[in-house]
């Protein structure tokens, strides 16, 4: 079992937090013992999909299921699209974001761009805190050198994605989305992350998507991504 003191959540959400990842060799007794001793205000636990034997024990410890986190990987292979999908794909350009683009992104987040993640849907947190968490994350990643890239359609910025090299030639796309007013009409099916990674000499790109967002899951599969891993995610709030 891996237990991380999530100190960043004190800044983001105002709570002492920890993130727990179950490992393949963890026994049910060991998991229950550790969980019963944790007293952080906010605890997040991720359970590999193959460890279904632990699900009821975790819930008996007071944890609530919030989502599955699905890891997708693209190996940058060519994707066969319908003629309509290809026309939409070709109509969308990408470019590095500037400061005005970043300001727009933060405003979109404040307006509720990400409304399906485990923090936004959690009644213990308000939506402003969920937005602040994303904005802080963006600022941190930008300072560390991540690239933020915008989608452009008919001269309008319609969305973005962010990438960073996690291993040599292997990239992670840790955040992205189409702005709400442009999601209709099929434009949301366009995913150009693999194209950007290939242009940088990469060989693969991974991302995580919540099962609370089935539309994005469909879009990734349509654009050649494959599922590599799934983790069940539970949370618990301890009133200290």
């Amino acid at each position: 079992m891996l237990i991380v003191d999530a100190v960043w959540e004190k800044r983001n959400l105002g709570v002492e937090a920890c993130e727990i990842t179950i490992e393949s060799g963890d026994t049910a007794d060991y998991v229950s013992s550790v969980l019963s001793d944790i007293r952080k205000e906010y605890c997040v636990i991720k359970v590999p999909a193959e460890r279904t034997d632990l699900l009821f024990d975790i819930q008996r410890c007071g944890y609530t299921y919030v989502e599955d986190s699905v890891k997708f990987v693209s190996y940058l292979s060519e994707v066969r699209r319908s003629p309509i999908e290809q026309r939409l794909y070709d109509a969308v350009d990408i470019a590095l974001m500037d400061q005005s683009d970043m300001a727009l992104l933060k405003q979109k987040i404040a307006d509720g761009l990400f409304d399906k993640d485990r923090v936004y849907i959690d009644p213990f947190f308000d939506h402003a805190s969920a937005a602040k968490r994303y904005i802080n994350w963006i600022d941190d990643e930008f300072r560390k050198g991540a690239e933020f890239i915008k989608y452009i359609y008919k001269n309008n910025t319609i969305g973005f994605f962010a990438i960073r090299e996690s291993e040599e030639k292997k990239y992670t796309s840790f955040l992205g989305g189409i702005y709400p007013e442009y999601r209709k009409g099929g434009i949301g099916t366009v995913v150009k992350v693999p194209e950007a990674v290939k242009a940088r000499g990469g060989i693969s790109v991974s991302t995580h998507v919540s099962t609370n967002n089935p539309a994005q899951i469909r879009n990734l599969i349509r654009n050649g991504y494959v599922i590599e891993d799934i983790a069940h995610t539970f949370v618990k709030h301890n009133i200290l």
Side-chain angles (χ1 to χ4, degrees):
M1 184 185 298
L2 299 175
I3 302 176
V4 176
D5 186 9
V7 293
W8 55 89
E9 299 296 21
K10 185 67 174 178
R11 175 190 62 169
N12 296 333
L13 303 172
V15 294
E16 300 289 343
C18 67
E19 294 188 355
I20 305 158
T21 302
I22 299 296
E23 297 180 291
S24 58
D26 294 336
T27 65
D29 287 342
Y30 174 64
V31 170
S32 296
S33 174
V34 171
L35 295 186
S36 64
D37 289 337
I38 292 177
R39 290 293 181 267
K40 294 285 188 179
E41 294 173 87
Y42 177 53
C43 301
V44 180
I45 183 166
K46 296 186 177 180
V47 186
E50 63 269 19
R51 293 304 308 271
T52 53
D53 58 301
L54 297 176
L55 299 185
F56 288 95
D57 291 327
I58 287 168
Q59 290 174 90
R60 277 193 287 269
C61 290
Y63 284 77
T64 300
Y65 171 82
V66 291
E67 65 182 5
D68 275 10
S69 177
V70 185
K71 181 180 180 180
F72 282 92
V73 179
S74 167
Y75 294 100
L76 315 185
S77 57
E78 292 297 321
V79 176
R80 295 182 65 180
R81 301 181 176 89
S82 70
I84 292 175
E85 289 172 337
Q86 191 63 50
R87 282 198 297 272
L88 282 171
Y89 186 89
D90 293 340
V92 176
D93 294 318
I94 56 176
L96 285 174
M97 296 170 69
D98 58 24
Q99 289 300 322
S100 64
D101 296 317
M102 296 298 287
L104 174 63
L105 169 58
K106 291 178 182 180
Q107 184 57 56
K108 295 294 185 182
I109 292 173
D111 291 340
L113 175 62
F114 299 116
D115 59 357
K116 295 179 174 62
D117 73 281
R118 61 176 167 83
V119 174
Y120 191 94
I121 67 173
D122 193 324
F124 278 82
F125 302 119
D126 59 33
H127 292 167
S129 296
K132 175 184 175 183
R133 180 172 176 268
Y134 275 106
I135 290 170
N136 287 341
W137 185 14
I138 284 170
D139 287 340
D140 290 344
E141 290 287 352
F142 189 80
R143 283 193 293 268
K144 290 188 290 187
E147 293 185 87
F148 287 79
I149 299 167
K150 60 184 175 181
Y151 286 115
I152 305 166
Y153 178 68
K154 294 183 177 179
N155 296 318
N156 295 311
T157 297
I158 64 169
F160 85 105
F161 60 89
I163 57 174
R164 55 176 156 76
E165 193 172 14
S166 52
E167 300 177 44
E168 186 177 2
K169 296 187 177 182
K170 295 182 179 181
Y171 283 73
T172 297
S173 178
F174 56 89
L175 203 57
I178 299 294
Y179 298 150
E181 62 268 34
Y182 296 104
R183 289 175 183 169
K184 295 181 180 180
I187 202 72
T189 64
V190 175
V191 177
K192 291 213 164 187
V193 181
E195 178 181 312
V197 170
K198 186 181 292 187
R200 287 157 175 76
I203 60 173
S204 68
V205 58
S206 63
T207 190
H208 287 82
V209 181
S210 168
T211 47
N212 298 336
N213 190 0
Q216 183 61 5
I217 289 174
R218 290 193 297 270
N219 292 340
L220 291 176
I221 293 172
R222 184 180 286 117
N223 282 273
Y225 285 74
V226 295
I227 295 174
E228 186 171 90
D229 196 16
I230 301 174
H232 307 307
T233 306
F234 296 78
V235 300
K236 183 180 181 180
H237 296 272
N238 292 306
I239 308 302
L240 303 181

